[in-house]
Amino acid sequence: MFGLLAAFFWGTHSVIVRYLTADMHGITIAALRLYIAAIALFALMKALRFAVSFKLSDQNLQIAVVSTVINYICFHIGLEHTSASNAMMLENTAPFFVLLILLFFAGEKIKPRDLLAATIAVAGVFLTVLQDLELGGEGFAGDVLEILAGLSWAGFIIGSSRALRASSDTAERLNFLFNVFICSAVILTPLMLFYPVSATTNDLVFLILLGLLPTALAYYLWYEAAARVSAISAALMFTLSVIFTFINAALFLGEQLSATTVIGALLIVAGVVLTSTGKSEA
């Protein structure tokens, strides 16, 4: 349920970011949403009287921060050159990258069930946005950046999953996430200064919503889910956000869902169910 709710909120973020890129640079959006999310988590932790600390020497934190910075740069700039649909689909290649990293670099054994689930889910992602895919047109540069966003998201998933499985309570998970947000925002700040900030009142409202819902809340819900499942299961939960992206597009933008989209959505759900219902090891 945590993963499902996280995917629901993530299903709004590409649409919001695509709207904001009309007035603001992608780097500016990335940095500001991280600051807003960090402030929200800090306020929550203080209200709950949780300890706030920095563990910059934590290797998992370093992996998560570096991956977040790369992901946010690629994802937000990529959305200036490609559609929200393409962005979500291509970033959701992360499950395959998670499998490859765990297999070739982390020395972990991948279960055949997880490999099959990842294949089914990613196939569903491609079918979901097949009609919008641009492999040689104007949006090609944006598509390449979104693939890099998927690769960096895989690093974030692995670093976060390992840290969270070792955590004991909500306070530790909130503190780790706060560290990721604030460190990533600080790193992105010098880049943000190269671009002028020109935002309307509507932009500011959507930016605040972007920082609170698809960032602070969605990441926290996903962290609660990732603390309880494997890294590949956590990655596959993210693919559900594609379904919610198209639901939002249909509701708010009047887009029609094709038969291919529906089939792709069903494959995504099948992949998540397949890996989530497998027997977990001690």
Side-chain angles (χ1 to χ4, degrees):
M1 289 303 300
F2 281 133
L4 181 65
L5 288 172
F8 171 77
F9 288 112
W10 268 327
T12 66
H13 87 136
S14 65
V15 177
I16 296 175
V17 172
R18 190 70 180 91
Y19 168 79
L20 291 174
T21 54
D23 299 318
M24 305 170 64
H25 193 273
I27 296 295
T28 303
I29 299 170
L32 292 179
R33 73 181 285 193
L34 285 169
Y35 274 119
I36 293 170
I39 292 171
L41 288 185
F42 182 80
L44 177 61
M45 293 176 70
K46 286 298 184 181
L48 297 175
R49 297 183 179 180
F50 290 162
V52 178
S53 62
F54 292 93
K55 300 180 180 179
L56 302 181
S57 61
D58 185 347
Q59 185 179 28
N60 290 321
L61 176 63
Q62 294 170 359
I63 293 173
V65 168
V66 171
S67 299
T68 298
V69 170
I70 297 174
N71 175 267
Y72 269 53
I73 290 174
C74 294
F75 180 79
H76 290 78
I77 295 181
L79 266 170
E80 295 180 356
H81 305 286
T82 191
S83 67
S85 300
N86 281 14
M88 288 304 297
M89 183 277 290
L90 294 171
E91 190 181 29
N92 272 281
T93 54
F96 271 142
F97 290 125
V98 170
L99 284 172
L100 292 176
I101 292 171
L102 291 178
L103 182 62
F104 294 107
F105 298 101
E108 293 191 13
K109 184 178 180 181
I110 303 299
K111 300 177 183 178
R113 187 189 190 97
D114 284 339
L115 180 60
L116 176 61
T119 303
I120 292 174
V122 176
V125 171
F126 274 91
L127 283 177
T128 301
V129 293
L130 185 62
Q131 70 275 14
D132 295 323
L133 188 60
E134 301 171 0
L135 289 179
E138 184 179 351
F140 180 72
D143 292 339
V144 172
L145 286 173
E146 297 305 340
I147 293 175
L148 294 176
L151 176 58
S152 56
W153 178 250
F156 170 82
I157 290 172
I158 292 173
S160 295
S161 295
R162 290 185 168 183
L164 297 175
R165 285 201 300 270
S167 64
S168 60
D169 54 28
T170 298
E172 287 188 28
R173 290 189 277 274
L174 280 174
N175 188 69
F176 186 88
L177 184 56
F178 169 74
N179 275 239
V180 172
F181 284 160
I182 194 64
C183 291
S184 301
V186 170
I187 293 173
L188 286 172
T189 298
L191 297 176
M192 180 183 69
L193 298 178
F194 284 100
Y195 307 100
V197 179
S198 57
T200 65
T201 302
N202 285 339
D203 291 338
L204 294 177
V205 171
F206 280 109
L207 187 61
I208 292 173
L209 290 175
L210 181 66
L212 294 179
L213 298 180
T215 313
L217 180 57
Y219 274 75
Y220 165 68
L221 291 171
W222 184 81
Y223 265 34
E224 289 293 335
R228 296 165 169 81
V229 299
S230 68
I232 185 61
S233 295
L236 288 169
M237 286 179 187
F238 180 64
T239 64
L240 288 171
S241 61
V242 174
I243 298 175
F244 293 114
T245 297
F246 280 92
I247 292 175
N248 288 325
L251 290 176
F252 299 108
L253 302 178
E255 295 183 3
Q256 298 295 320
L257 296 178
S258 66
T260 304
T261 299
V262 174
I263 294 173
L266 292 175
L267 286 175
I268 293 170
V269 173
V272 174
V273 170
L274 181 61
T275 189
S276 298
T277 56
K279 294 182 179 179
S280 59
E281 296 182 356

